[in-house]
Amino acid sequence: MINKIRTQLVQNAASILRSPVHLLPQSVQKKALLEGLKMAFKEALEDGDFEFLEGKWLKVSVVDMRLDWYISYEDEKLIVADQVQQEDVAFSGNLNDLVLIAGRKEDPDTLFFQRRLSIEGDTELGLEVKNLMDSVDLEAMPKPLQTLLNQLADFVYKGLQSPSTQSEVVNAYSN
């Protein structure tokens, strides 16, 4: 029963969250995203690892939520914009897949080859962004953020498992 509820929540997460998120003012969304990025990439920002993004724009799209964010690096700081004239590289995927990537439950390369993650534009820049994401040390994140991300990714991962896979796991443990 609980597995069915989790599966339904995970499968419908984007449609459940879409309206409330779109009701938030863009300035609140940008602030939350920027603060989250600063926490997640604290070490990389301190080391100047974002210099490759200076003067360039990364578009991140959460397709099933109809959300687009534009991220760049200027004066040793990350910046987030509502719109830009032209992005240099674009990453897009569905909410659950992006959560799985962030929580290290799925590899971006695997999702890319399964066509669940799209990377368009400047390939070299896209590779640098992907490598930077891969280099983030989840253990260096603040403990509450680390715990939240791990639990959310676990929840999504389990919720995406097919019912037959879930019953095989339950049967394996009950023998």
Side-chain angles (χ1 to χ4, degrees), residues 78-108:
L78 283 176
I79 55 174
V80 177
D82 300 343
Q83 300 178 42
V84 296
Q85 294 242 331
Q86 178 69 39
E87 71 268 6
D88 296 282
V89 67
F91 278 67
S92 60
N94 287 329
L95 176 64
N96 288 331
D97 290 331
L98 295 175
V99 168
L100 292 173
I101 291 169
R104 303 279 163 80
K105 299 294 179 197
E106 285 283 358
D107 177 61

PDB file of all heavy atoms in Angstrom, residues 78-108:
ATOM      1  N   LEU A  78      27.873  33.464  -8.819  1.00  0.00           N
ATOM      2  CA  LEU A  78      26.840  32.906  -9.683  1.00  0.00           C
ATOM      3  C   LEU A  78      25.721  33.916  -9.815  1.00  0.00           C
ATOM      4  O   LEU A  78      25.418  34.647  -8.862  1.00  0.00           O
ATOM      5  CB  LEU A  78      26.262  31.619  -9.073  1.00  0.00           C
ATOM      6  CG  LEU A  78      27.098  30.368  -9.198  1.00  0.00           C
ATOM      7  CD1 LEU A  78      26.437  29.214  -8.463  1.00  0.00           C
ATOM      8  CD2 LEU A  78      27.320  30.003 -10.654  1.00  0.00           C
ATOM      9  N   ILE A  79      25.113  33.961 -10.980  1.00  0.00           N
ATOM     10  CA  ILE A  79      23.942  34.814 -11.172  1.00  0.00           C
ATOM     11  C   ILE A  79      22.855  33.984 -11.846  1.00  0.00           C
ATOM     12  O   ILE A  79      23.136  33.061 -12.610  1.00  0.00           O
ATOM     13  CB  ILE A  79      24.261  36.087 -11.986  1.00  0.00           C
ATOM     14  CG1 ILE A  79      24.908  35.753 -13.334  1.00  0.00           C
ATOM     15  CG2 ILE A  79      25.139  37.040 -11.203  1.00  0.00           C
ATOM     16  CD1 ILE A  79      25.102  36.953 -14.241  1.00  0.00           C
ATOM     17  N   VAL A  80      21.625  34.317 -11.525  1.00  0.00           N
ATOM     18  CA  VAL A  80      20.465  33.653 -12.097  1.00  0.00           C
ATOM     19  C   VAL A  80      19.591  34.712 -12.743  1.00  0.00           C
ATOM     20  O   VAL A  80      19.347  35.757 -12.145  1.00  0.00           O
ATOM     21  CB  VAL A  80      19.663  32.884 -11.007  1.00  0.00           C
ATOM     22  CG1 VAL A  80      18.419  32.251 -11.587  1.00  0.00           C
ATOM     23  CG2 VAL A  80      20.539  31.819 -10.352  1.00  0.00           C
ATOM     24  N   ALA A  81      19.143  34.446 -13.959  1.00  0.00           N
ATOM     25  CA  ALA A  81      18.294  35.399 -14.679  1.00  0.00           C
ATOM     26  C   ALA A  81      16.990  34.732 -15.107  1.00  0.00           C
ATOM     27  O   ALA A  81      16.913  33.509 -15.224  1.00  0.00           O
ATOM     28  CB  ALA A  81      19.041  35.923 -15.913  1.00  0.00           C
ATOM     29  N   ASP A  82      15.966  35.583 -15.312  1.00  0.00           N
ATOM     30  CA  ASP A  82      14.670  35.101 -15.806  1.00  0.00           C
ATOM     31  C   ASP A  82      14.763  34.697 -17.264  1.00  0.00           C
ATOM     32  O   ASP A  82      14.193  33.703 -17.691  1.00  0.00           O
ATOM     33  CB  ASP A  82      13.598  36.200 -15.708  1.00  0.00           C
ATOM     34  CG  ASP A  82      13.367  36.676 -14.295  1.00  0.00           C
ATOM     35  OD1 ASP A  82      13.764  35.976 -13.359  1.00  0.00           O
ATOM     36  OD2 ASP A  82      12.781  37.759 -14.141  1.00  0.00           O
ATOM     37  N   GLN A  83      15.443  35.528 -18.025  1.00  0.00           N
ATOM     38  CA  GLN A  83      15.565  35.330 -19.464  1.00  0.00           C
ATOM     39  C   GLN A  83      16.914  35.863 -19.918  1.00  0.00           C
ATOM     40  O   GLN A  83      17.486  36.732 -19.279  1.00  0.00           O
ATOM     41  CB  GLN A  83      14.491  36.117 -20.210  1.00  0.00           C
ATOM     42  CG  GLN A  83      13.083  35.759 -19.871  1.00  0.00           C
ATOM     43  CD  GLN A  83      12.120  36.655 -20.653  1.00  0.00           C
ATOM     44  OE1 GLN A  83      12.329  36.905 -21.820  1.00  0.00           O
ATOM     45  NE2 GLN A  83      11.085  37.130 -19.998  1.00  0.00           N
ATOM     46  N   VAL A  84      17.374  35.331 -21.027  1.00  0.00           N
ATOM     47  CA  VAL A  84      18.575  35.867 -21.674  1.00  0.00           C
ATOM     48  C   VAL A  84      18.319  35.851 -23.172  1.00  0.00           C
ATOM     49  O   VAL A  84      17.414  35.171 -23.646  1.00  0.00           O
ATOM     50  CB  VAL A  84      19.849  35.043 -21.334  1.00  0.00           C
ATOM     51  CG1 VAL A  84      20.171  35.123 -19.854  1.00  0.00           C
ATOM     52  CG2 VAL A  84      19.729  33.599 -21.766  1.00  0.00           C
ATOM     53  N   GLN A  85      19.102  36.613 -23.885  1.00  0.00           N
ATOM     54  CA  GLN A  85      18.928  36.650 -25.336  1.00  0.00           C
ATOM     55  C   GLN A  85      19.232  35.294 -25.951  1.00  0.00           C
ATOM     56  O   GLN A  85      18.522  34.809 -26.804  1.00  0.00           O
ATOM     57  CB  GLN A  85      19.844  37.710 -25.932  1.00  0.00           C
ATOM     58  CG  GLN A  85      19.470  39.107 -25.499  1.00  0.00           C
ATOM     59  CD  GLN A  85      19.092  39.951 -26.679  1.00  0.00           C
ATOM     60  OE1 GLN A  85      19.567  39.749 -27.771  1.00  0.00           O
ATOM     61  NE2 GLN A  85      18.207  40.904 -26.443  1.00  0.00           N
ATOM     62  N   GLN A  86      20.321  34.658 -25.496  1.00  0.00           N
ATOM     63  CA  GLN A  86      20.718  33.371 -26.070  1.00  0.00           C
ATOM     64  C   GLN A  86      21.538  32.599 -25.037  1.00  0.00           C
ATOM     65  O   GLN A  86      22.533  33.107 -24.537  1.00  0.00           O
ATOM     66  CB  GLN A  86      21.559  33.610 -27.329  1.00  0.00           C
ATOM     67  CG  GLN A  86      22.077  32.353 -27.984  1.00  0.00           C
ATOM     68  CD  GLN A  86      20.971  31.517 -28.612  1.00  0.00           C
ATOM     69  OE1 GLN A  86      20.054  32.055 -29.198  1.00  0.00           O
ATOM     70  NE2 GLN A  86      21.061  30.210 -28.475  1.00  0.00           N
ATOM     71  N   GLU A  87      21.114  31.379 -24.745  1.00  0.00           N
ATOM     72  CA  GLU A  87      21.914  30.538 -23.865  1.00  0.00           C
ATOM     73  C   GLU A  87      22.988  29.850 -24.694  1.00  0.00           C
ATOM     74  O   GLU A  87      22.827  29.656 -25.897  1.00  0.00           O
ATOM     75  CB  GLU A  87      21.048  29.505 -23.129  1.00  0.00           C
ATOM     76  CG  GLU A  87      20.503  28.398 -23.993  1.00  0.00           C
ATOM     77  CD  GLU A  87      19.129  28.687 -24.569  1.00  0.00           C
ATOM     78  OE1 GLU A  87      18.590  29.795 -24.407  1.00  0.00           O
ATOM     79  OE2 GLU A  87      18.591  27.778 -25.213  1.00  0.00           O
ATOM     80  N   ASP A  88      24.087  29.495 -24.023  1.00  0.00           N
ATOM     81  CA  ASP A  88      25.186  28.821 -24.710  1.00  0.00           C
ATOM     82  C   ASP A  88      25.027  27.302 -24.669  1.00  0.00           C
ATOM     83  O   ASP A  88      25.427  26.602 -25.585  1.00  0.00           O
ATOM     84  CB  ASP A  88      26.521  29.226 -24.077  1.00  0.00           C
ATOM     85  CG  ASP A  88      26.769  30.710 -24.270  1.00  0.00           C
ATOM     86  OD1 ASP A  88      27.164  31.088 -25.386  1.00  0.00           O
ATOM     87  OD2 ASP A  88      26.534  31.494 -23.333  1.00  0.00           O
ATOM     88  N   VAL A  89      24.460  26.820 -23.587  1.00  0.00           N
ATOM     89  CA  VAL A  89      24.209  25.392 -23.437  1.00  0.00           C
ATOM     90  C   VAL A  89      22.921  25.222 -22.630  1.00  0.00           C
ATOM     91  O   VAL A  89      22.611  26.054 -21.774  1.00  0.00           O
ATOM     92  CB  VAL A  89      25.407  24.663 -22.778  1.00  0.00           C
ATOM     93  CG1 VAL A  89      25.603  25.088 -21.329  1.00  0.00           C
ATOM     94  CG2 VAL A  89      25.272  23.155 -22.873  1.00  0.00           C
ATOM     95  N   ALA A  90      22.181  24.171 -22.932  1.00  0.00           N
ATOM     96  CA  ALA A  90      20.911  23.922 -22.247  1.00  0.00           C
ATOM     97  C   ALA A  90      20.863  22.476 -21.774  1.00  0.00           C
ATOM     98  O   ALA A  90      21.152  21.549 -22.526  1.00  0.00           O
ATOM     99  CB  ALA A  90      19.737  24.200 -23.179  1.00  0.00           C
ATOM    100  N   PHE A  91      20.531  22.319 -20.493  1.00  0.00           N
ATOM    101  CA  PHE A  91      20.287  21.009 -19.903  1.00  0.00           C
ATOM    102  C   PHE A  91      18.797  20.941 -19.633  1.00  0.00           C
ATOM    103  O   PHE A  91      18.230  21.858 -19.031  1.00  0.00           O
ATOM    104  CB  PHE A  91      21.011  20.878 -18.549  1.00  0.00           C
ATOM    105  CG  PHE A  91      22.464  20.520 -18.646  1.00  0.00           C
ATOM    106  CD1 PHE A  91      23.380  21.390 -19.194  1.00  0.00           C
ATOM    107  CD2 PHE A  91      22.912  19.303 -18.176  1.00  0.00           C
ATOM    108  CE1 PHE A  91      24.717  21.075 -19.280  1.00  0.00           C
ATOM    109  CE2 PHE A  91      24.244  18.961 -18.250  1.00  0.00           C
ATOM    110  CZ  PHE A  91      25.161  19.847 -18.802  1.00  0.00           C
ATOM    111  N   SER A  92      18.153  19.859 -20.027  1.00  0.00           N
ATOM    112  CA  SER A  92      16.734  19.720 -19.727  1.00  0.00           C
ATOM    113  C   SER A  92      16.409  18.271 -19.398  1.00  0.00           C
ATOM    114  O   SER A  92      17.005  17.339 -19.943  1.00  0.00           O
ATOM    115  CB  SER A  92      15.869  20.228 -20.878  1.00  0.00           C
ATOM    116  OG  SER A  92      16.138  19.512 -22.056  1.00  0.00           O
ATOM    117  N   GLY A  93      15.477  18.140 -18.466  1.00  0.00           N
ATOM    118  CA  GLY A  93      15.030  16.819 -18.055  1.00  0.00           C
ATOM    119  C   GLY A  93      13.782  16.969 -17.218  1.00  0.00           C
ATOM    120  O   GLY A  93      13.369  18.085 -16.874  1.00  0.00           O
ATOM    121  N   ASN A  94      13.186  15.860 -16.888  1.00  0.00           N
ATOM    122  CA  ASN A  94      12.018  15.878 -16.019  1.00  0.00           C
ATOM    123  C   ASN A  94      12.450  15.963 -14.564  1.00  0.00           C
ATOM    124  O   ASN A  94      13.592  15.618 -14.212  1.00  0.00           O
ATOM    125  CB  ASN A  94      11.149  14.641 -16.258  1.00  0.00           C
ATOM    126  CG  ASN A  94      10.402  14.724 -17.569  1.00  0.00           C
ATOM    127  OD1 ASN A  94      10.038  15.809 -18.026  1.00  0.00           O
ATOM    128  ND2 ASN A  94      10.181  13.583 -18.190  1.00  0.00           N
ATOM    129  N   LEU A  95      11.548  16.424 -13.724  1.00  0.00           N
ATOM    130  CA  LEU A  95      11.826  16.648 -12.303  1.00  0.00           C
ATOM    131  C   LEU A  95      12.469  15.435 -11.648  1.00  0.00           C
ATOM    132  O   LEU A  95      13.518  15.548 -11.010  1.00  0.00           O
ATOM    133  CB  LEU A  95      10.525  17.029 -11.575  1.00  0.00           C
ATOM    134  CG  LEU A  95      10.628  17.201 -10.065  1.00  0.00           C
ATOM    135  CD1 LEU A  95      11.536  18.369  -9.722  1.00  0.00           C
ATOM    136  CD2 LEU A  95       9.245  17.406  -9.464  1.00  0.00           C
ATOM    137  N   ASN A  96      11.853  14.272 -11.788  1.00  0.00           N
ATOM    138  CA  ASN A  96      12.368  13.087 -11.102  1.00  0.00           C
ATOM    139  C   ASN A  96      13.786  12.740 -11.548  1.00  0.00           C
ATOM    140  O   ASN A  96      14.627  12.386 -10.719  1.00  0.00           O
ATOM    141  CB  ASN A  96      11.428  11.899 -11.323  1.00  0.00           C
ATOM    142  CG  ASN A  96      10.133  12.051 -10.560  1.00  0.00           C
ATOM    143  OD1 ASN A  96      10.072  12.678  -9.508  1.00  0.00           O
ATOM    144  ND2 ASN A  96       9.077  11.481 -11.103  1.00  0.00           N
ATOM    145  N   ASP A  97      14.051  12.853 -12.829  1.00  0.00           N
ATOM    146  CA  ASP A  97      15.389  12.534 -13.316  1.00  0.00           C
ATOM    147  C   ASP A  97      16.426  13.516 -12.785  1.00  0.00           C
ATOM    148  O   ASP A  97      17.536  13.125 -12.424  1.00  0.00           O
ATOM    149  CB  ASP A  97      15.413  12.506 -14.846  1.00  0.00           C
ATOM    150  CG  ASP A  97      14.648  11.315 -15.410  1.00  0.00           C
ATOM    151  OD1 ASP A  97      14.579  10.264 -14.737  1.00  0.00           O
ATOM    152  OD2 ASP A  97      14.110  11.443 -16.528  1.00  0.00           O
ATOM    153  N   LEU A  98      16.081  14.783 -12.700  1.00  0.00           N
ATOM    154  CA  LEU A  98      17.016  15.779 -12.169  1.00  0.00           C
ATOM    155  C   LEU A  98      17.259  15.561 -10.678  1.00  0.00           C
ATOM    156  O   LEU A  98      18.384  15.736 -10.196  1.00  0.00           O
ATOM    157  CB  LEU A  98      16.500  17.187 -12.460  1.00  0.00           C
ATOM    158  CG  LEU A  98      16.431  17.530 -13.955  1.00  0.00           C
ATOM    159  CD1 LEU A  98      15.796  18.895 -14.171  1.00  0.00           C
ATOM    160  CD2 LEU A  98      17.800  17.459 -14.621  1.00  0.00           C
ATOM    161  N   VAL A  99      16.229  15.136  -9.945  1.00  0.00           N
ATOM    162  CA  VAL A  99      16.395  14.801  -8.521  1.00  0.00           C
ATOM    163  C   VAL A  99      17.335  13.603  -8.385  1.00  0.00           C
ATOM    164  O   VAL A  99      18.217  13.584  -7.517  1.00  0.00           O
ATOM    165  CB  VAL A  99      15.037  14.524  -7.843  1.00  0.00           C
ATOM    166  CG1 VAL A  99      15.222  13.901  -6.461  1.00  0.00           C
ATOM    167  CG2 VAL A  99      14.217  15.802  -7.735  1.00  0.00           C
ATOM    168  N   LEU A 100      17.155  12.596  -9.234  1.00  0.00           N
ATOM    169  CA  LEU A 100      18.016  11.409  -9.187  1.00  0.00           C
ATOM    170  C   LEU A 100      19.470  11.764  -9.492  1.00  0.00           C
ATOM    171  O   LEU A 100      20.385  11.231  -8.858  1.00  0.00           O
ATOM    172  CB  LEU A 100      17.511  10.349 -10.170  1.00  0.00           C
ATOM    173  CG  LEU A 100      16.179   9.700  -9.815  1.00  0.00           C
ATOM    174  CD1 LEU A 100      15.712   8.800 -10.953  1.00  0.00           C
ATOM    175  CD2 LEU A 100      16.251   8.933  -8.513  1.00  0.00           C
ATOM    176  N   ILE A 101      19.692  12.671 -10.431  1.00  0.00           N
ATOM    177  CA  ILE A 101      21.059  13.115 -10.735  1.00  0.00           C
ATOM    178  C   ILE A 101      21.647  13.845  -9.528  1.00  0.00           C
ATOM    179  O   ILE A 101      22.767  13.571  -9.117  1.00  0.00           O
ATOM    180  CB  ILE A 101      21.090  14.024 -11.981  1.00  0.00           C
ATOM    181  CG1 ILE A 101      20.776  13.214 -13.238  1.00  0.00           C
ATOM    182  CG2 ILE A 101      22.448  14.716 -12.114  1.00  0.00           C
ATOM    183  CD1 ILE A 101      20.530  14.060 -14.477  1.00  0.00           C
ATOM    184  N   ALA A 102      20.884  14.773  -8.964  1.00  0.00           N
ATOM    185  CA  ALA A 102      21.371  15.556  -7.826  1.00  0.00           C
ATOM    186  C   ALA A 102      21.699  14.661  -6.635  1.00  0.00           C
ATOM    187  O   ALA A 102      22.677  14.900  -5.915  1.00  0.00           O
ATOM    188  CB  ALA A 102      20.347  16.603  -7.430  1.00  0.00           C
ATOM    189  N   GLY A 103      20.895  13.624  -6.428  1.00  0.00           N
ATOM    190  CA  GLY A 103      21.104  12.715  -5.304  1.00  0.00           C
ATOM    191  C   GLY A 103      22.028  11.554  -5.613  1.00  0.00           C
ATOM    192  O   GLY A 103      22.193  10.648  -4.799  1.00  0.00           O
ATOM    193  N   ARG A 104      22.637  11.574  -6.805  1.00  0.00           N
ATOM    194  CA  ARG A 104      23.582  10.550  -7.237  1.00  0.00           C
ATOM    195  C   ARG A 104      22.976   9.141  -7.299  1.00  0.00           C
ATOM    196  O   ARG A 104      23.660   8.147  -7.086  1.00  0.00           O
ATOM    197  CB  ARG A 104      24.818  10.525  -6.347  1.00  0.00           C
ATOM    198  CG  ARG A 104      25.570  11.831  -6.259  1.00  0.00           C
ATOM    199  CD  ARG A 104      26.467  11.988  -7.483  1.00  0.00           C
ATOM    200  NE  ARG A 104      26.925  13.316  -7.712  1.00  0.00           N
ATOM    201  CZ  ARG A 104      27.929  13.918  -7.087  1.00  0.00           C
ATOM    202  NH1 ARG A 104      28.576  13.308  -6.156  1.00  0.00           N
ATOM    203  NH2 ARG A 104      28.278  15.145  -7.409  1.00  0.00           N
ATOM    204  N   LYS A 105      21.699   9.084  -7.621  1.00  0.00           N
ATOM    205  CA  LYS A 105      21.037   7.790  -7.810  1.00  0.00           C
ATOM    206  C   LYS A 105      21.056   7.383  -9.281  1.00  0.00           C
ATOM    207  O   LYS A 105      20.807   6.239  -9.607  1.00  0.00           O
ATOM    208  CB  LYS A 105      19.578   7.840  -7.322  1.00  0.00           C
ATOM    209  CG  LYS A 105      19.431   8.146  -5.859  1.00  0.00           C
ATOM    210  CD  LYS A 105      19.993   7.037  -5.018  1.00  0.00           C
ATOM    211  CE  LYS A 105      19.845   7.372  -3.554  1.00  0.00           C
ATOM    212  NZ  LYS A 105      20.691   6.552  -2.713  1.00  0.00           N
ATOM    213  N   GLU A 106      21.316   8.345 -10.163  1.00  0.00           N
ATOM    214  CA  GLU A 106      21.445   8.091 -11.598  1.00  0.00           C
ATOM    215  C   GLU A 106      22.614   8.902 -12.122  1.00  0.00           C
ATOM    216  O   GLU A 106      22.880  10.009 -11.658  1.00  0.00           O
ATOM    217  CB  GLU A 106      20.173   8.503 -12.355  1.00  0.00           C
ATOM    218  CG  GLU A 106      19.009   7.563 -12.195  1.00  0.00           C
ATOM    219  CD  GLU A 106      19.114   6.286 -13.013  1.00  0.00           C
ATOM    220  OE1 GLU A 106      20.103   6.100 -13.773  1.00  0.00           O
ATOM    221  OE2 GLU A 106      18.214   5.463 -12.897  1.00  0.00           O
ATOM    222  N   ASP A 107      23.277   8.341 -13.106  1.00  0.00           N
ATOM    223  CA  ASP A 107      24.398   8.996 -13.744  1.00  0.00           C
ATOM    224  C   ASP A 107      23.887   9.839 -14.916  1.00  0.00           C
ATOM    225  O   ASP A 107      23.072   9.350 -15.712  1.00  0.00           O
ATOM    226  CB  ASP A 107      25.363   7.922 -14.249  1.00  0.00           C
ATOM    227  CG  ASP A 107      26.537   8.503 -14.984  1.00  0.00           C
ATOM    228  OD1 ASP A 107      27.297   9.281 -14.363  1.00  0.00           O
ATOM    229  OD2 ASP A 107      26.694   8.205 -16.190  1.00  0.00           O
ATOM    230  N   PRO A 108      24.325  11.098 -15.034  1.00  0.00           N
ATOM    231  CA  PRO A 108      23.860  11.939 -16.145  1.00  0.00           C
ATOM    232  C   PRO A 108      24.125  11.313 -17.521  1.00  0.00           C
ATOM    233  O   PRO A 108      23.307  11.427 -18.424  1.00  0.00           O
ATOM    234  CB  PRO A 108      24.646  13.242 -15.988  1.00  0.00           C
ATOM    235  CG  PRO A 108      25.156  13.244 -14.607  1.00  0.00           C
ATOM    236  CD  PRO A 108      25.227  11.826 -14.153  1.00  0.00           C
TER     237      PRO A 108
END
